[in-house]
Amino acid sequence: MSKQRSYVRLWAFVVLSLAAAAALSFFWWTADLGPDRTLPWACLPVLVIAVAAAEHFQVEVRGPANPARFTLMTSTIAPLMYGYGVPVVAGAVLLAHVPGLFNRSYPRLRAFALMARWTLGAAVGTAVADILGVQAELTGPVVGVIVVAVIVVTAVNLSWVLVEAAITDPASWPYVVRKPGFLAVAALIHVVVNTLFGLLFVFALAGSPLGVLLVPLPLVLIFAAARLYSGAFADRARVETLSETIRILSEPVDPMTAIRPFIAEIRERFGARTVSLVVVREDGRPTAFRYNIDGSYDDDVPVGPLERRLVRRGVLTQVSVDDNSALARLLREDHRRSCLSAPMQIGPRDVGVIALFDVTRSSIAVARDQASMMETLARQTAHTLTRGWAVAKVVQNERSIAEILQSTSDGIFTVDATGIITTWNPACERITGLSASEALGRRDALQRLQARTANGRPVDLENWREFRDFPREMVVTATDGRVQQLACSFTRAEDTAGTPRLVVIARDITPATEFHELREQFSQLVEMQAAQRLVVDHLQQAVAPEPPGMEGVDIAVAYVASDPTAPTGGDLFDWHRLPTGELHVAVVDVLGHGVTATRDALTVIHTLRYVAVEGTPLEDLVLRADELLGAQDSELVATVVVARFNPCTGELRVASGGHPPAIIVAPDGTVRQVAGSGGAIGWPGVGSSGVAVTVLEEGESLILYTDGLVEARRDIIAGMEQLERIASEVADLPAQELSDALVVRSLEGAERHDDALALVVRRATRPALSPRVRWELGPQAMSMIGHVRREMREWMGAHEVTSEDALLVADELLANALTAARTRAVLSVEVADGSLVIEATDDGRGDPHLNEHGRTPPPAGREHGRGLYIVRSLSRDVEALSTAGGSVVRARVVTSRSPATTRDLVP
């Protein structure tokens, strides 16, 4: 059930209780069932104040495990029942609880619940007293009626509390009645105490109506005495609680083994639903131990958000779900009602925290006592845990030493002052064959083993205290005849009684010679492999061509040899810039593997480059190379593919000599084949019978490869389909990453039987050209005009336009602007509708007649004034604007396309 629904149901129960009390009072009044009042109305205000005071001043006695709270409400209701009817008693009790509605320390719902509880109980109890017959005289029957009425009020009150618990927390309300015997005793004591005080009121009223004025005096005295007793009893209970809980934790050597009974005792003593002990390990990792009301136990589990927040706070914390804080939100998320936690600290170190959830407490004083007890308990727990951890660590160290002595491969034995062997570990038994029972308590163990130094001198440790230099090596003969070489170290020490001891550690170094020989052989092998690898690296560097460095082309290659121990083979590639400006690319696959195949492939590559540079047409390239190679080595067989690529036009021609078809992949993943036909070098029918011609668009990639890339799975058709699929998936990768991905993914999970190579040629995408360019110069930068002219010429060339007139106009406008400028001059050029718009700006003083200058030729012999005339002569439109803040001159010059560029675009 949600908290909101619980509140709604409790409010409904409060309203029903008040309605029942009102209905009973109204019925009693209209039916005139009660006796006439026996007390004057003047006594009623005093009795109302007494009821309010009795509710406010509560007597609480807390034993070692069980709390008991008593209130004198019933004793103050008894005079009302004796002197007034049901309506007056119910109204008086209701009025006495009105001040509690304005008490900020009480929740509003709690105050209304108390009002409804006691009003209903008083109404029912008074009704019972009226039915039994309350008289105005003090007789035995009247006293009995008062006692029965007090019992009824107590029963109604207790029943109301149980129903309230069932409404607010139906899952745990039986916890309230988990000890019916204790509840019965507490109820009996409550009835007896309230009956006695109620009779005190009645006796006072029977003697004189003014005797009610003496009622507050015994109440105050009893309250003070009860508080003193309660404090003393609580102090004793606190001491008993602390001593008992700490005793449980400190009994074992390792306190962590007693965590469960320890926190179970805390839960019982404090009356909490759940106790959590969070311990912070030495590595800073917190772990939690929890004991719940249902008896379940969580051992060494991760901490939750609420527990982690409590550890970080490091202070005493009391919080409930009604608070407005982050901890209250975590309480609600954890389905808790309240929390009381105390940190465990040793100086600046946080050991952990003890947290109580949903503690049963009844007053501020009890809460204060619990907080004080928790602080003391946390401090003692911290000291007990750290002390226990230290002892456990010492014990663990001793066990570790014993385990080391038992499990180490080194022989360790000790000799006392008289030469008797006192310890003999299992390694000594294994090395010498002499058991511990045969060695302990004897002086002749080493003599039986024929112990001697490396030069044959006997070793006898019977008089070890007189030795200065102990032998570093010792040779012994085991009981089975084996000769063991031992490296020894000797240490003088004392036992716990102060008796001198000699500790001997002997390591078996018999296999040392064999180990050194193996190490030398291994070193030689490593050196040979390193030399071989160096040769291979140099060979790879020698056969790999330098990148052509052509603008507009990205080229990359990836290669994997079939034999990892010989990372070169018969697959080789070449790229070279021909005198015509085209890119020559070749891929060769020679039959064979290893360095020999690399040599043959290198021969084919160089031959192809030679005949390409020689000017041999592409369709005759393979046949011409076969003729040259056949004159040198008739046994060589190789498949080749040669491509010619024009970076300017994108024209691509591919010739094949028995090689798998090349593929082209577009940026969007579209794949097409470029298949040239022909026979392999060194094979009948050699040559290229057909040359494939296509255009490589911007961003498209040509992929040349060897058959090892598509035959790795022994199905060349499936291999080619897989290669095209992979190329489509990774088409947007850079050229080098694309080639690597093709090789890695094609060979993934396949058995390599041949070398594999993938070469990628990508036509680069031209960057977008800006239609406008701008230069800004200082007034002293006349020398930069030539630099600006060169940059402007390059910019015009990129836009495929040419105009010497535009360059001259720009020079004249920039020179005039620099002459007039005070701090800066700006020249900007823009392409627009087949012409160039040239604008010069300066921040000079200006010339009001600037727009009139240059319209007529300047007089002969005049040095200045020709610039604007030249500009107007070479330009279509000239505009000039000049103010005191500067001048702007704009000219439009008609241009034409660059002839060189036009020729380049013709295929």
Side-chain angles (χ1 to χ4, degrees):
M1 183 186 299
S2 65
K3 181 179 178 182
Q4 187 66 26
R5 293 179 61 187
S6 299
Y7 283 171
V8 172
R9 293 189 178 188
L10 183 57
W11 271 112
F13 184 57
V14 168
V15 173
L16 289 176
S17 299
L18 291 175
L24 182 60
S25 302
F26 181 75
F27 173 74
W28 223 259
W29 176 63
T30 56
D32 197 16
L33 297 178
D36 296 334
R37 61 181 178 85
T38 57
L39 293 178
W41 290 109
C43 295
L44 185 59
V46 177
L47 292 175
V48 171
I49 295 174
V51 173
E55 170 60 21
H56 181 72
F57 295 107
Q58 300 171 356
V59 178
E60 182 172 336
V61 177
R62 183 176 181 86
N66 302 311
R69 186 183 70 168
F70 300 99
T71 178
L72 300 179
M73 275 284 295
T74 311
S75 63
T76 57
I77 295 176
L80 289 171
M81 294 186 296
Y82 177 77
Y84 303 96
V86 173
V88 176
V89 174
V93 175
L94 181 68
L95 183 62
H97 281 85
V98 170
L101 300 178
F102 303 96
N103 188 355
R104 293 185 178 180
S105 62
Y106 258 29
R108 185 61 56 85
L109 179 57
R110 177 65 177 166
F112 273 106
L114 290 174
M115 175 187 290
R117 189 172 99 198
W118 285 108
T119 302
L120 179 61
V124 175
T126 307
V128 171
D130 288 350
I131 293 173
L132 294 179
V134 177
Q135 303 295 328
E137 53 195 24
L138 192 61
T139 62
V142 173
V143 173
V145 170
I146 296 297
V147 172
V148 172
V150 170
I151 294 175
V152 170
V153 174
T154 303
V156 173
N157 181 52
L158 182 60
S159 300
W160 207 99
V161 170
L162 294 178
V163 174
E164 178 188 5
I167 291 175
T168 56
D169 195 357
S172 62
W173 78 271
Y175 171 73
V176 180
V177 294
R178 71 187 189 283
K179 294 185 178 180
F182 167 74
L183 291 178
V185 173
L188 179 61
I189 295 175
H190 178 77
V191 171
V192 171
V193 172
N194 281 278
T195 300
L196 293 177
F197 276 97
L199 292 177
L200 174 62
F201 279 92
V202 174
F203 291 156
L205 294 174
S208 171
L210 298 178
V212 73
L213 299 176
L214 300 176
V215 171
L217 182 59
L219 284 178
V220 173
L221 294 176
I222 292 300
F223 174 74
R227 288 295 299 270
L228 292 175
Y229 167 75
S230 172
F233 198 76
D235 290 340
R236 183 171 64 86
R238 186 184 302 115
V239 174
E240 291 178 359
T241 298
L242 293 176
S243 61
E244 178 63 21
T245 52
I246 294 302
R247 180 190 62 78
I248 294 174
L249 190 64
S250 59
E251 278 185 350
V253 175
D254 186 0
M256 301 304 293
T257 60
I259 291 294
R260 179 169 184 171
F262 172 67
I263 60 177
E265 184 69 16
I266 293 177
R267 193 197 67 79
E268 182 68 21
R269 295 275 179 174
F270 283 87
R273 291 189 59 195
T274 303
V275 176
S276 178
L277 176 67
V278 179
V279 177
V280 179
R281 307 284 186 175
E282 292 184 354
D283 58 358
R285 178 178 60 90
T287 56
F289 303 82
R290 305 187 192 96
Y291 200 93
N292 305 305
I293 187 174
D294 57 0
S296 61
Y297 176 66
D298 300 327
D299 182 23
D300 200 7
V301 296
V303 299
L306 177 58
E307 294 165 327
R308 186 177 294 108
R309 179 67 65 88
L310 294 174
V311 172
R312 291 177 180 174
R313 285 176 64 89
V315 295
L316 181 70
T317 301
Q318 289 178 289
V319 65
S320 67
V321 292
D322 298 323
D323 298 338
N324 184 18
S325 63
L327 282 177
R329 178 180 58 80
L330 293 176
L331 273 177
R332 289 190 291 270
E333 293 176 356
D334 213 16
H335 305 290
R336 309 285 189 187
R337 295 193 302 271
S338 63
C339 173
L340 171 62
S341 69
M344 299 186 299
Q345 296 175 333
I346 300 294
R349 180 191 173 192
D350 289 328
V351 180
V353 68
I354 301 177
L356 310 179
F357 298 103
D358 301 342
V359 179
T360 303
R361 60 170 182 262
S362 57
S363 70
I364 298 177
V366 172
R368 189 164 51 248
D369 291 343
Q370 288 177 342
S372 176
M373 193 185 312
M374 279 288 293
E375 285 185 314
T376 306
L377 178 63
R379 285 195 298 269
Q380 294 189 9
T381 302
H383 286 286
T384 302
L385 287 176
T386 52
R387 183 175 62 251
W389 290 339
V391 174
K393 186 176 293 185
V394 172
V395 174
Q396 182 64 31
N397 290 339
E398 292 180 354
R399 292 175 180 173
S400 300
I401 293 175
E403 291 176 357
I404 291 173
L405 292 176
Q406 295 298 318
S407 61
T408 181
S409 60
D410 293 341
I412 302 176
F413 63 94
T414 58
V415 182
D416 66 6
T418 61
I420 295 177
I421 295 178
T422 55
T423 59
W424 189 264
N425 76 335
C428 288
E429 297 179 345
R430 185 175 59 257
I431 293 173
T432 64
L434 200 63
S435 65
S437 59
E438 295 174 324
L440 294 177
R442 302 174 64 97
R443 294 187 177 90
D444 59 347
L446 294 182
Q447 286 81 357
R448 294 173 59 186
L449 297 172
Q450 302 178 21
R452 55 197 181 275
T453 61
N455 55 12
R457 183 170 56 87
V459 176
D460 185 6
L461 299 179
E462 184 174 351
N463 299 319
W464 62 267
R465 300 180 67 182
E466 301 177 0
F467 288 0
R468 292 185 178 179
D469 295 324
F470 292 95
R472 295 185 177 181
E473 292 186 6
M474 186 166 55
V475 180
V476 297
T477 302
T479 56
D480 58 358
R482 293 178 292 111
V483 178
Q484 302 289 94
Q485 296 181 355
L486 307 178
C488 301
S489 61
F490 300 83
T491 303
R492 301 174 186 266
E494 294 182 354
D495 58 13
T496 56
T499 305
R501 289 281 192 274
L502 178 67
V503 181
V504 183
I505 302 176
R507 172 168 298 179
D508 186 6
I509 59 172
T510 304
T513 303
E514 299 177 0
F515 172 75
H516 288 305
E517 292 178 355
L518 290 175
R519 187 172 63 179
E520 291 178 0
Q521 294 176 5
F522 178 75
S523 299
Q524 294 176 359
L525 180 61
V526 170
E527 291 177 359
M528 292 175 61
Q529 290 180 343
Q532 181 182 7
R533 182 63 192 177
L534 183 61
V535 172
V536 170
D537 290 342
H538 285 297
L539 180 60
Q540 287 179 330
Q541 295 175 8
V543 300
E546 292 292 332
M550 297 179 65
E551 185 177 356
V553 179
D554 292 334
I555 190 166
V557 67
Y559 170 75
V560 175
S562 60
D563 185 4
T565 61
T568 59
D571 293 2
L572 208 58
F573 63 95
D574 185 33
W575 47 52
H576 183 69
R577 182 172 185 173
L578 298 177
T580 61
E582 293 179 303
L583 176 65
H584 163 81
V585 182
V587 171
V588 174
D589 186 358
V590 173
L591 184 65
H593 304 287
V595 178
T596 302
T598 304
R599 180 200 61 192
D600 294 341
L602 189 60
T603 302
V604 177
I605 283 293
H606 285 171
T607 303
L608 288 173
R609 178 184 287 194
Y610 170 76
V611 296
V613 174
E614 186 183 41
T616 304
L618 183 61
E619 56 272 15
D620 300 330
L621 197 68
V622 176
L623 181 60
R624 174 61 176 160
D626 180 75
E627 294 174 353
L628 295 177
L629 292 170
Q632 304 175 22
D633 187 353
S634 59
E635 300 296 328
L636 188 149
V637 177
T639 64
V640 299
V641 59
V642 182
R644 294 278 179 85
F645 174 61
N646 188 329
C648 296
T649 64
E651 181 185 20
L652 175 67
R653 293 180 295 158
V654 179
S656 176
H659 206 80
I663 61 176
I664 294 177
V665 57
D668 60 356
T670 305
V671 179
R672 68 181 190 271
Q673 288 189 0
V674 182
S677 59
I681 293 177
W683 202 258
V686 62
S688 300
S689 57
V691 175
V693 180
T694 185
V695 175
L696 196 65
E697 301 294 341
E698 292 186 0
E700 289 187 333
S701 301
L702 169 68
I703 300 175
L704 306 178
Y705 55 94
T706 58
D707 55 4
L709 202 64
V710 295
E711 292 180 348
R713 304 182 189 275
R714 299 182 182 273
D715 186 349
I716 188 170
I717 302 300
M720 291 182 64
E721 292 177 352
Q722 181 191 34
L723 179 65
E724 292 181 2
R725 184 173 64 255
I726 295 173
S728 176
E729 294 174 356
V730 298
D732 58 338
L733 293 178
Q736 185 61 60
E737 296 182 16
L738 174 59
S739 62
D740 293 339
L742 290 173
V743 172
V744 172
R745 293 183 57 176
S746 297
L747 300 180
E748 187 175 11
E751 296 181 4
R752 298 207 305 266
H753 303 284
D754 197 359
D755 305 331
L757 180 145
L759 186 146
V760 175
V761 178
R762 173 172 295 171
R763 185 181 182 188
T765 303
R766 294 185 180 182
L769 294 175
S770 173
R772 183 182 178 87
V773 67
R774 180 177 182 273
W775 292 271
E776 181 175 339
L777 304 174
Q780 306 299 325
M782 284 290 185
S783 60
M784 295 296 294
I785 293 179
H787 177 74
V788 172
R789 184 189 306 111
R790 286 191 298 272
E791 291 186 354
M792 181 175 171
R793 188 187 299 277
E794 294 175 359
W795 177 80
M796 291 168 58
H799 282 275
E800 302 178 354
V801 296
T802 179
S803 175
E804 293 297 329
D805 292 347
L807 294 172
L808 182 55
V809 169
D811 285 351
E812 294 296 336
L813 291 181
L814 181 58
N816 290 344
L818 289 173
T819 302
R822 284 182 291 186
T823 60
R824 67 188 183 96
V826 178
L827 176 69
S828 62
V829 184
E830 182 178 5
V831 177
D833 299 330
S835 60
L836 292 179
V837 178
I838 306 172
E839 181 181 280
T841 304
D842 65 76
D843 59 351
R845 292 182 171 82
D847 183 357
H849 304 289
L850 180 63
N851 195 32
E852 304 299 327
H853 294 333
R855 295 185 181 275
T856 59
R862 185 174 177 179
E863 184 178 356
H864 301 288
R866 299 180 182 275
L868 279 178
Y869 179 76
I870 296 174
V871 170
R872 292 184 184 277
S873 300
L874 299 179
S875 305
R876 174 175 295 179
D877 297 319
V878 177
E879 298 177 0
L881 176 64
S882 182
T883 64
S887 302
V888 178
V889 180
R890 182 183 295 111
R892 179 184 296 272
V893 181
V894 178
T895 62
S896 61
R897 297 184 62 85
S898 173
T901 305
T902 304
R903 285 194 302 272
D904 291 341
L905 294 176
V906 178

